[in-house]
Amino acid sequence: MNYVFGAVDNALICGFVLAPGQAGRPIGLAESLSWLALGAAQPADEFLWLHFNLTDTTAEKWMQANLNLPPEFFEALREGSRSTRIEDASDNLIAVVNDVAFEFSFDPSEIASLWVSVSERVLVSARVHPLRSIDRLRQAVKDGARFNSSVELLNHLMNDQGDVLVRIVREATLQVDNIEDGLLVGRLQQKRGELGQLRRVLVRLQRLLAPEPGALFRLLRQPPPWVKAHDLDELRQATEEFSLVIRDLSALQERIKLLQEEMVAQVGEQTNRSVFTLTVVTVLALPINIMAGMFGMNVGGIPLSEHPHGFSILALVVLGFTAVAGWLAFRKKD
């Protein structure tokens, strides 16, 4: 293996050598090449984790030249964002993990992918944008967390992603609670847009973060031979807990949908009241408009034109017609 293509340590976000019961030891690209070159000469229980930044164009080239990764991993890199999945590829676990940006603010553009390849001795992860779950895992290793296998490291990542999603669901629930409180007091205009955007984000989260059941089922039925039984059980449990959070996400979407329907109903009621008010005003003004039009004609024979109380009589007639029209209009409303 050679240190080629001008790769520099900027392409590597972090690297660790881990072993059961021991804290991770930081390692750079040059040291990782030496560790990989020794291969079987390394302690059998040691494994390597390399985490790459794909915005550096040398990262993918370095991985292709120096790491024995399956073609499915690089195909996944080129596919871009897809739903979360874990599958077996030539006795390697290939995972596409969708996560949220470190400073997530319920914007769909802040959901990005993390690509992971796991073998018995090497775990490789790569991302384009900073992501919260993988950052938590990196910090845990820095703080001295112990991992017994590369699959256990993957399980920790899945659990971290589940925790992040739980917090997102909680924050979204609080936002929905505030919007619902505003709905109860009639403040709709500023909240309808927020509710629609929140629902779109949650739909995208569910579509991307929900693990593909088919790929996981195939993996659990025929796992790579080097994966230990208890690691497989932990992976199954992590996925089941993750699925529970996804169901909570679905329930929250249904709640948002009901709130949107209630808002539409309230807006419809307000529109109906406005139309009714406009109709009543038009009906009440109709008699006086007719009388004014008739008596405003510049023709002879206008009744009561010479009568000393003509204006009062016409005013009473108009008021009478207006009262009758108002009574008919409000009786219809009741």
Side-chain angles (χ1 to χ4, degrees):
M1 296 183 183
N2 299 312
Y3 199 83
V4 295
F5 294 107
V8 294
D9 282 339
N10 290 335
L12 182 69
I13 299 174
C14 67
F16 296 96
V17 174
L18 302 104
Q22 299 180 20
R25 174 171 58 85
I27 190 173
L29 284 180
E31 294 176 275
S32 65
L33 285 177
S34 301
W35 190 94
L36 293 167
L38 291 176
Q42 296 287 359
D45 56 355
E46 278 192 356
F47 61 97
L48 179 67
W49 174 31
L50 297 176
H51 180 43
F52 289 93
N53 179 10
L54 292 178
T55 57
D56 191 312
T57 57
T58 62
E60 184 175 348
K61 295 178 181 180
W62 191 94
M63 289 187 286
Q64 289 176 330
N66 298 284
L67 298 175
N68 186 24
L69 300 176
E72 290 82 355
F73 176 76
F74 297 102
E75 292 174 3
L77 289 181
R78 298 183 184 95
E79 286 176 357
S81 297
R82 288 187 57 188
S83 59
T84 296
R85 70 181 188 272
I86 305 175
E87 55 189 5
D88 182 12
S90 304
D91 289 338
N92 285 261
L93 297 183
I94 304 299
V96 178
V97 181
N98 289 282
D99 200 1
V100 298
F102 191 74
E103 296 296 336
F104 184 66
S105 59
F106 290 93
D107 187 337
S109 64
E110 295 178 349
I111 304 172
S113 295
L114 172 74
W115 295 271
V116 184
S117 175
V118 186
S119 65
E120 185 176 12
R121 302 294 302 276
V122 179
L123 185 148
V124 176
S125 57
R127 56 80 169 164
V128 176
H129 305 286
L131 300 174
R132 187 175 293 185
S133 297
I134 193 68
D135 188 80
R136 290 185 59 184
L137 179 60
R138 180 177 62 172
Q139 190 60 45
V141 175
K142 286 183 177 180
D143 292 341
R146 269 64 169 172
F147 297 94
N148 296 322
S149 66
S150 56
V151 178
E152 186 175 336
L153 196 66
L154 177 62
N155 287 334
H156 195 285
L157 174 63
M158 297 298 292
N159 288 326
D160 283 342
Q161 189 189 27
D163 293 340
V164 169
L165 187 57
V166 166
R167 285 200 299 274
I168 290 175
V169 172
R170 288 175 180 171
E171 292 174 7
T173 301
L174 290 176
Q175 290 191 28
V176 173
D177 289 341
N178 293 333
I179 293 174
E180 189 172 22
D181 293 339
L183 176 63
L184 294 176
V185 297
R187 295 196 305 266
L188 298 179
Q189 299 301 322
Q190 297 180 353
K191 301 299 182 181
R192 292 174 61 191
E194 295 180 17
L195 202 60
Q197 180 182 3
L198 183 60
R199 185 182 179 189
R200 289 192 297 270
V201 172
L202 295 181
V203 168
R204 180 172 172 81
L205 278 171
Q206 183 179 14
R207 180 172 62 86
L208 292 178
L209 297 181
E212 289 185 1
L216 183 63
F217 177 77
R218 290 190 297 270
L219 172 63
L220 296 177
R221 186 180 60 181
Q222 293 182 339
W226 55 268
V227 178
K228 299 177 182 178
H230 71 273
D231 285 336
L232 202 61
D233 291 337
E234 289 290 332
L235 181 60
R236 181 186 294 108
Q237 182 178 355
T239 307
E240 289 175 353
E241 293 175 354
F242 198 77
S243 299
L244 291 176
V245 181
I246 294 296
R247 282 198 286 271
D248 292 339
L249 198 62
S250 299
L252 185 58
Q253 290 179 41
E254 288 299 320
R255 182 183 173 193
I256 292 176
K257 182 179 179 181
L258 292 175
L259 285 176
Q260 287 179 317
E261 293 175 353
E262 179 65 22
M263 285 183 174
V264 170
Q266 287 196 11
V267 171
E269 291 178 0
Q270 291 179 356
T271 302
N272 291 336
R273 286 195 295 267
S274 299
V275 171
F276 175 78
T277 301
L278 180 61
T279 302
V280 169
V281 170
T282 303
V283 170
L284 295 179
L286 185 60
I288 192 171
N289 289 332
I290 293 176
M291 291 296 183
M294 291 180 58
F295 288 94
M297 297 178 182
N298 191 19
V299 296
I302 296 177
L304 304 177
S305 60
E306 303 296 333
H307 196 283
H309 302 291
F311 177 79
S312 300
I313 294 172
L314 290 177
L316 290 174
V317 171
V318 170
L319 289 176
F321 277 112
T322 303
V324 172
W327 176 76
L328 291 174
F330 285 104
R331 184 188 65 171
K332 183 178 180 179
K333 179 182 179 182
D334 295 338

